[in-house]
Amino acid sequence: MNRIFVHALAVASLFAASCSSDTSSSPTNTVTDATEAGAAASAEHAGAHTYACPMHPEVTSTKPGEKCPKCGMDLVHNDAVSNGKSYQMKYEATPTQPVAGQPVTLAFTPQEVGNEKAPVPLAVVHEKKIHLIIVSKDLAQFHHEHPEFSADGNYKVPFTFSKGGDYVLFQDYTPDGSSHQLGRQPITVQGPKYTPVKFTKDQMQWQKDGYQATLSFDKALKVGQLLGMKINITKGGQPVTDLDNYLGALGHVVVISEDTDKYLHVHPNDQADKGPNIGFNTNFEAPGLYRVFLQFNHAGQIHTADFTIHVTA
């Protein structure tokens, strides 16, 4: 079997929930962003309890009960985030070489670097232990799968690639007692290859099966600023106001850069209604073309909408 060992990647900075603190009035008790993380760890706070985001450990607070402004997760006691360990994800396929149109089992084993034989229990995040994102290299195809723990001690999921060609696998996971990790493996699937799609223009609307989704932002798409992102969903021209949760949230957004090197997993802000608008917050650290994939649940069906955006410097 082929074995590919990939060190966990640092996820590009993103915001997935509004900050619940007033950062202008109480700087010592507010959630800090990456540029303020050093201040939160200064001597001023020595001896005090600190809390950090499991996904973004650079986001800290001295006040319990805060949420991360980058992903919306609850901040936890810092000891549970900074365990000093590094992780990697081992990938195996059975059969070894995936072939288009033929079932393949994808297996993933989280490992502690330097102690690869030790078991690595995973935390449940958004109802699953691993979120597997499969995209074609041109970002025209998108799949969201959930490998399940097996008797072999790894996480497996069956899958069938419809076309041959180049793909990228992302594993979104969090070891117990540690911070969020991202595995990434480029793979090649044999068989008749898909015809690559070249995305060049902004695509802010999507429609399929009678649904339409419209993507908008509250300001120009530029690097390094907090952006309010809204997606409006209609069906047959009428607002959809009875969306169901999918994996514990009203919707999930994955954003991937054109070169597939940058990956953002964005979750919606807390809101009382069930549509037609889903609100997010996010930011970008690098300019370029990005593909945006929204998944939402309505009438018992999971729908995947896709968009294309350009972020400027």
Side-chain angles (χ1 to χ4, degrees):
M1 292 186 180
N2 287 341
R3 297 191 178 185
I4 301 178
F5 295 84
V6 178
H7 288 280
L9 305 178
V11 180
S13 176
L14 60 130
F15 290 84
S18 297
C19 179
S20 58
S21 301
D22 180 358
T23 57
S24 62
S25 60
S26 180
T28 59
N29 285 327
T30 58
V31 177
T32 60
D33 61 23
T35 61
E36 297 169 321
S42 67
E44 178 183 355
H45 300 121
H49 290 295
T50 59
Y51 303 85
C53 172
M55 184 175 288
H56 304 95
E58 75 277 6
V59 177
T60 62
S61 174
T62 58
K63 183 179 178 181
E66 296 283 358
K67 290 182 178 293
C68 175
K70 294 185 176 183
C71 65
M73 294 183 69
D74 292 332
L75 303 191
V76 298
H77 194 273
N78 215 26
D79 291 346
V81 175
S82 303
N83 65 5
K85 298 178 181 179
S86 298
Y87 298 92
Q88 63 189 12
M89 184 68 79
K90 184 177 76 171
Y91 156 73
E92 294 178 314
T94 306
T96 303
Q97 176 58 65
V99 178
Q102 299 181 16
V104 62
T105 298
L106 307 176
F108 302 92
T109 308
Q111 296 179 328
E112 179 187 340
V113 176
N115 190 18
E116 286 77 9
K117 294 188 179 299
V120 178
L122 299 183
V124 175
V125 179
H126 292 285
E127 300 184 355
K128 299 293 180 179
K129 292 190 174 183
I130 296 181
H131 295 268
L132 170 64
I133 304 299
I134 303 172
V135 293
S136 54
K137 191 67 167 62
D138 65 348
L139 296 180
Q141 303 175 52
F142 175 92
H143 304 276
H144 185 171
E145 305 291 336
H146 301 106
E148 297 293 342
F149 191 69
S150 72
D152 297 332
N154 52 21
Y155 294 80
K156 296 180 178 179
V157 63
F159 191 76
T160 301
F161 292 89
S162 61
K163 292 286 186 179
D166 294 327
Y167 293 81
V168 181
L169 313 180
F170 293 99
Q171 304 89 52
D172 206 327
Y173 67 102
T174 301
D176 278 343
S178 187
S179 58
H180 169 264
Q181 307 291 317
L182 182 68
R184 178 185 181 276
Q185 299 94 20
I187 67 169
T188 298
V189 177
Q190 290 184 349
K193 295 186 177 181
Y194 61 80
T195 301
V197 177
K198 181 63 177 178
F199 297 95
T200 58
K201 298 180 180 180
D202 284 356
Q203 174 198 340
M204 307 295 282
Q205 288 193 335
W206 164 91
Q207 59 182 14
K208 187 178 181 181
D209 299 330
Y211 290 89
Q212 184 178 66
T214 302
L215 172 67
S216 61
F217 293 87
D218 65 346
K219 58 178 71 75
L221 283 170
K222 293 184 179 181
V223 167
Q225 63 178 346
L226 178 64
L227 298 167
M229 181 171 67
K230 181 177 73 174
I231 300 178
N232 176 272
I233 300 174
T234 62
K235 183 179 183 183
Q238 299 300 311
V240 175
T241 58
D242 56 347
L243 291 170
D244 298 313
N245 277 358
Y246 172 53
L247 299 174
L250 204 58
H252 292 265
V253 166
V254 169
V255 185
I256 304 176
S257 61
E258 184 177 25
D259 59 8
T260 71
D261 283 342
K262 299 172 184 64
Y263 170 99
L264 316 175
H265 195 166
V266 189
H267 302 282
N269 300 328
D270 293 333
Q271 60 186 77
D273 59 34
K274 296 295 185 179
N277 296 316
I278 309 176
F280 304 81
N281 289 319
T282 189
N283 75 0
F284 296 87
E285 289 188 336
L289 182 145
Y290 290 81
R291 292 277 287 154
V292 179
F293 302 93
L294 163 73
Q295 290 191 289
F296 65 94
N297 183 9
H298 185 244
Q301 296 291 323
I302 307 301
H303 303 272
T304 301
D306 61 288
F307 311 90
T308 304
I309 59 174
H310 286 81
V311 177
T312 61

